[in-house]
Amino acid sequence: MEIDVQKGLLAANERLAQENRSLFARSGLFVVNIMSGPGAGKTTLLERTCETLAARLNIAVIEGDLQTSEDAERIAAKGVHAVQINTGGGCHLDAKMVQGALKSFDLDALDLLIIENVGNLVCPAAFDLGESARVMLLSTPEGDEKPIKYPLMFTRSQLLIINKMDLLDYVDFDVKRVEGYAKKINPGIEIITVSAKTGEGMEGWYGWLTGKLEKKS
Ligand SMILES: Nc1nc2c(ncn2[C@@H]2O[C@H](COP(=O)(O)OP(=O)(O)OP(=O)(O)O)[C@@H](O)[C@H]2O)c(=O)[nH]1
Ligand SMILES: [Mg+2]
């Protein structure tokens, strides 16, 4: 019975995700869903991304959080239009919440929409939002065994960004080990290493993003 309810929920979400996907396609918009555990550095990465790319790309951001509008305020401070969705305790965004937030944007005028999902290593991976690509962030203090403990998120992502590389000397985190685990779970996954704090490696992320945008146009 419980399984049926879960299946029904996911099927209803999938229908709305397809509606979102059609809307995005009609506007030629590239949409990225960024997922990670709490505090891996999603908003920091997006702040720096907005600082660097907003001059040449029309970017908007949807921020998902349990409560507070702190993350949307951090993005708005960079001059980028950001809308906060509060899930009221829910551990992930769903396609309906995103559909509601889309009313705040002129999709035709945008080049890139980035959705920061709720910080959680499990739930967000199960819910399609209609995005063009899923990106997962794993930060070095979280530990290098995460791909085998939380495989779904690694399976569902096209890109893994390993963040907080500036802390590598202080934590037990073997980048090669993570790469090995992640590729075993998802052979097609691309992997880049960055520090959203110092800016190290961020060109790799910008290159990935702009490559996807060019392919789309
Ligand atoms: N040392 C270091 N700290 C970082 C880096 N990126 C983010 N942080 C710090 O990590 C903490 C969490 O960063 P956020 O960007 O808020 O993380 P988040 O994933 O958006 O967090 P939630 O939205 O709560 O899930 C902050 O104190 C950041 O300054 C990094 O590359 N290196
Ligand atoms: Mg955040």
Side-chain angles (χ1 to χ4, degrees):
M1 184 67 182
E2 209 172 284
I3 290 169
D4 287 347
V5 171
Q6 177 76 359
K7 265 193 185 161
L9 254 177
L10 286 172
N13 184 72
E14 196 47 46
R15 278 192 296 278
L16 290 169
Q18 286 307 336
E19 286 180 18
N20 291 351
R21 192 164 278 117
S22 303
L23 265 181
F24 299 147
R26 225 175 294 151
S27 302
L29 183 59
F30 188 72
V31 182
V32 187
N33 175 8
I34 300 206
M35 308 178 289
S36 81
K42 299 179 292 303
T43 312
T44 309
L45 181 99
L46 294 187
E47 285 176 306
R48 201 175 261 276
T49 304
C50 291
E51 276 169 13
T52 310
L53 297 184
R56 52 189 162 113
L57 291 176
N58 201 348
I59 305 175
V61 174
I62 294 177
E63 285 289 346
D65 235 322
L66 301 181
Q67 46 202 23
T68 88
S69 55
E70 273 193 33
D71 286 359
E73 285 161 20
R74 285 168 62 185
I75 298 300
K78 303 293 173 192
V80 166
H81 187 184
V83 169
Q84 184 81 48
I85 299 174
N86 285 138
T87 60
C91 58
H92 61 87
L93 291 176
D94 64 29
K96 190 177 182 186
M97 296 175 196
V98 169
Q99 208 164 83
L102 293 179
K103 296 184 183 82
S104 314
F105 304 109
D106 174 5
L107 297 184
D108 290 336
L110 293 178
D111 302 307
L112 173 65
L113 174 65
I114 305 180
I115 304 172
E116 176 180 336
N117 220 310
V118 177
N120 185 296
L121 267 180
V122 183
C123 315
F127 285 80
D128 187 1
L129 306 178
E131 69 279 301
S132 322
R134 291 190 190 143
V135 173
M136 184 197 167
L137 226 67
L138 177 68
S139 64
T140 57
E142 289 174 85
D144 53 20
E145 79 294 3
K146 288 297 171 291
I148 47 174
K149 288 180 84 175
Y150 301 92
L152 189 62
M153 196 165 277
F154 293 84
T155 311
R156 296 268 170 99
S157 298
Q158 284 80 53
L159 175 69
L160 167 63
I161 302 178
I162 300 176
N163 188 33
K164 307 197 185 180
M165 287 297 284
D166 53 297
L167 300 180
L168 206 54
D169 289 344
Y170 310 103
V171 293
D172 289 329
F173 187 94
D174 181 342
V175 174
K176 287 269 165 276
R177 191 168 176 224
V178 170
E179 286 176 348
Y181 284 150
K183 292 265 185 199
K184 202 167 175 198
I185 293 165
N186 177 358
I189 199 166
E190 292 178 70
I191 303 172
I192 55 179
T193 54
V194 307
S195 166
K197 183 176 176 173
T198 67
E200 170 198 342
M202 289 292 284
E203 307 75 33
W205 159 236
Y206 303 142
W208 185 89
L209 259 183
T210 47
K212 296 285 179 198
L213 284 167
E214 275 161 21
K215 248 193 199 164
K216 215 158 191 282
S217 55

